[in-house]
Amino acid sequence: MADPPRGTGDPLEYARRLLARRDHGRAELRAKLAARGFKAGEVAAALTRLEEDGLLDDSRYARALLEREMGRGHGLAFARAKARARGLRLPEEPGDLGREAESLRKFLRRRHLDPKSLTSGIERAKLLRSLRGRGYTRAAISTVLGPLAEEGIE
């Protein structure tokens, strides 16, 4: 089905079609509807209705984003930055460090990396920089790598 001309049609129906493809955050969906030419009042009403119907939920979307990024081998810092860029906030939860540490262990296994086999300080430093670049926190790196992390983290 083709999209209606810009600014015409039902913003609620258009938003439902967008949500059928993938989950969105409120800010992201608002921007897409505004870019489509819908009036601000219509957009606000559509977003409120979607929230009431349970189709739009920023906290659910943020949690899914966190799990997806950690499953892809990124840490909490990366996931939080990505969430902020989408207008979301990822609140800190008690199990975050454990989930992040488990994500890091899986990432190291997938890459066939055994930090204990890194003999030179240069190799360890390179790995630590790489992990920080992937958004892993110092706490998660220290939890997983133990004394090896302490040697290379400033």
Short mmCIF file of all heavy atoms in Angstrom, two decimals, residues 8 16 20 32 35-36 42 51 55 57 60 65 74 93-94 118 150:
data_model
loop_
_atom_site.label_atom_id
_atom_site.label_comp_id
_atom_site.label_asym_id
_atom_site.label_seq_id
_atom_site.Cartn_x
_atom_site.Cartn_y
_atom_site.Cartn_z
N THR A 8 -1.35 14.37 4.64
CA THR A 8 -2.74 13.92 4.54
C THR A 8 -2.84 12.53 5.15
O THR A 8 -1.84 11.86 5.40
CB THR A 8 -3.21 13.87 3.07
OG1 THR A 8 -2.43 12.90 2.38
CG2 THR A 8 -3.09 15.22 2.40
N ARG A 16 0.99 3.49 13.29
CA ARG A 16 0.80 2.05 13.50
C ARG A 16 1.57 1.25 12.45
O ARG A 16 2.15 0.21 12.75
CB ARG A 16 -0.67 1.69 13.46
CG ARG A 16 -1.40 2.04 14.72
CD ARG A 16 -2.80 1.51 14.72
NE ARG A 16 -3.42 1.72 16.00
CZ ARG A 16 -4.64 2.20 16.18
NH1 ARG A 16 -5.39 2.49 15.14
NH2 ARG A 16 -5.11 2.39 17.40
N ALA A 20 4.54 -1.37 13.16
CA ALA A 20 4.42 -2.76 12.72
C ALA A 20 5.75 -3.26 12.16
O ALA A 20 6.05 -4.45 12.23
CB ALA A 20 3.32 -2.89 11.67
N LYS A 32 9.31 11.42 12.94
CA LYS A 32 8.91 10.83 11.65
C LYS A 32 7.54 11.35 11.21
O LYS A 32 7.33 11.61 10.02
CB LYS A 32 8.90 9.30 11.75
CG LYS A 32 10.29 8.71 11.75
CD LYS A 32 10.25 7.21 11.69
CE LYS A 32 11.67 6.66 11.62
NZ LYS A 32 11.69 5.22 11.36
N ALA A 35 7.94 14.96 10.11
CA ALA A 35 8.60 15.01 8.80
C ALA A 35 7.64 14.63 7.68
O ALA A 35 7.79 15.07 6.54
CB ALA A 35 9.81 14.08 8.78
N ARG A 36 6.64 13.85 8.02
CA ARG A 36 5.63 13.43 7.05
C ARG A 36 4.61 14.54 6.80
O ARG A 36 3.78 14.43 5.89
CB ARG A 36 4.96 12.17 7.58
CG ARG A 36 4.07 11.51 6.64
CD ARG A 36 4.86 10.68 5.65
NE ARG A 36 3.93 10.21 4.65
CZ ARG A 36 4.23 9.97 3.41
NH1 ARG A 36 5.47 10.09 3.01
NH2 ARG A 36 3.34 9.57 2.58
N GLU A 42 -2.25 16.76 15.95
CA GLU A 42 -2.62 15.41 15.50
C GLU A 42 -1.57 14.39 15.93
O GLU A 42 -1.91 13.28 16.35
CB GLU A 42 -2.74 15.37 13.97
CG GLU A 42 -3.85 16.19 13.39
CD GLU A 42 -3.82 16.20 11.86
OE1 GLU A 42 -2.70 16.13 11.29
OE2 GLU A 42 -4.89 16.24 11.26
N GLU A 51 0.23 5.12 23.16
CA GLU A 51 0.68 4.78 24.51
C GLU A 51 -0.45 4.13 25.31
O GLU A 51 -0.23 3.15 26.01
CB GLU A 51 1.20 6.02 25.24
CG GLU A 51 2.56 6.45 24.75
CD GLU A 51 3.05 7.73 25.38
OE1 GLU A 51 2.22 8.57 25.81
OE2 GLU A 51 4.29 7.91 25.44
N LEU A 55 1.02 0.26 22.46
CA LEU A 55 1.84 0.06 21.27
C LEU A 55 3.12 0.90 21.30
O LEU A 55 4.07 0.59 20.59
CB LEU A 55 1.04 0.40 20.01
CG LEU A 55 -0.18 -0.48 19.76
CD1 LEU A 55 -0.97 0.03 18.57
CD2 LEU A 55 0.24 -1.92 19.55
N ASP A 57 5.89 2.43 23.95
CA ASP A 57 6.37 2.38 25.33
C ASP A 57 7.88 2.61 25.32
O ASP A 57 8.65 1.73 24.93
CB ASP A 57 6.03 1.01 25.93
CG ASP A 57 6.44 0.87 27.37
OD1 ASP A 57 7.19 1.71 27.89
OD2 ASP A 57 5.99 -0.12 28.00
N ARG A 60 10.03 0.09 27.41
CA ARG A 60 10.16 -1.22 26.74
C ARG A 60 11.16 -1.13 25.57
O ARG A 60 12.02 -1.98 25.40
CB ARG A 60 8.79 -1.69 26.22
CG ARG A 60 8.84 -3.03 25.50
CD ARG A 60 7.52 -3.41 24.87
NE ARG A 60 7.17 -2.48 23.81
CZ ARG A 60 5.94 -2.00 23.61
NH1 ARG A 60 4.95 -2.34 24.39
NH2 ARG A 60 5.71 -1.16 22.61
N LEU A 65 16.49 -2.10 23.25
CA LEU A 65 17.69 -1.53 22.64
C LEU A 65 18.93 -1.95 23.43
O LEU A 65 19.94 -2.36 22.85
CB LEU A 65 17.58 0.00 22.60
CG LEU A 65 18.79 0.73 22.04
CD1 LEU A 65 18.78 0.67 20.52
CD2 LEU A 65 18.78 2.18 22.49
N HIS A 74 28.36 -4.86 22.51
CA HIS A 74 28.60 -3.50 22.98
C HIS A 74 28.27 -3.42 24.46
O HIS A 74 27.45 -4.18 24.97
CB HIS A 74 27.75 -2.49 22.20
CG HIS A 74 28.16 -2.36 20.78
ND1 HIS A 74 27.46 -2.90 19.75
CD2 HIS A 74 29.24 -1.77 20.21
CE1 HIS A 74 28.06 -2.65 18.61
NE2 HIS A 74 29.15 -1.97 18.86
N GLU A 93 19.93 -0.04 36.55
CA GLU A 93 19.23 -1.10 37.26
C GLU A 93 20.24 -1.94 38.02
O GLU A 93 21.41 -2.02 37.63
CB GLU A 93 18.44 -1.95 36.27
CG GLU A 93 17.32 -1.18 35.60
CD GLU A 93 16.50 -2.04 34.65
OE1 GLU A 93 16.63 -3.28 34.70
OE2 GLU A 93 15.74 -1.47 33.87
N PRO A 94 19.82 -2.59 39.10
CA PRO A 94 20.75 -3.36 39.93
C PRO A 94 21.55 -4.42 39.17
O PRO A 94 22.72 -4.64 39.47
CB PRO A 94 19.85 -4.00 40.98
CG PRO A 94 18.62 -3.18 40.99
CD PRO A 94 18.48 -2.58 39.63
N LEU A 118 47.34 -13.08 26.41
CA LEU A 118 48.02 -11.87 25.95
C LEU A 118 49.23 -11.63 26.85
O LEU A 118 49.09 -11.30 28.02
CB LEU A 118 47.07 -10.66 25.99
CG LEU A 118 45.80 -10.81 25.16
CD1 LEU A 118 44.92 -9.60 25.36
CD2 LEU A 118 46.12 -11.01 23.69
N GLU A 150 43.42 -4.35 35.53
CA GLU A 150 44.03 -3.33 36.41
C GLU A 150 45.34 -2.82 35.84
O GLU A 150 45.70 -1.68 36.05
CB GLU A 150 44.26 -3.90 37.81
CG GLU A 150 43.02 -4.45 38.48
CD GLU A 150 41.88 -3.44 38.57
OE1 GLU A 150 42.16 -2.25 38.82
OE2 GLU A 150 40.73 -3.84 38.36
#
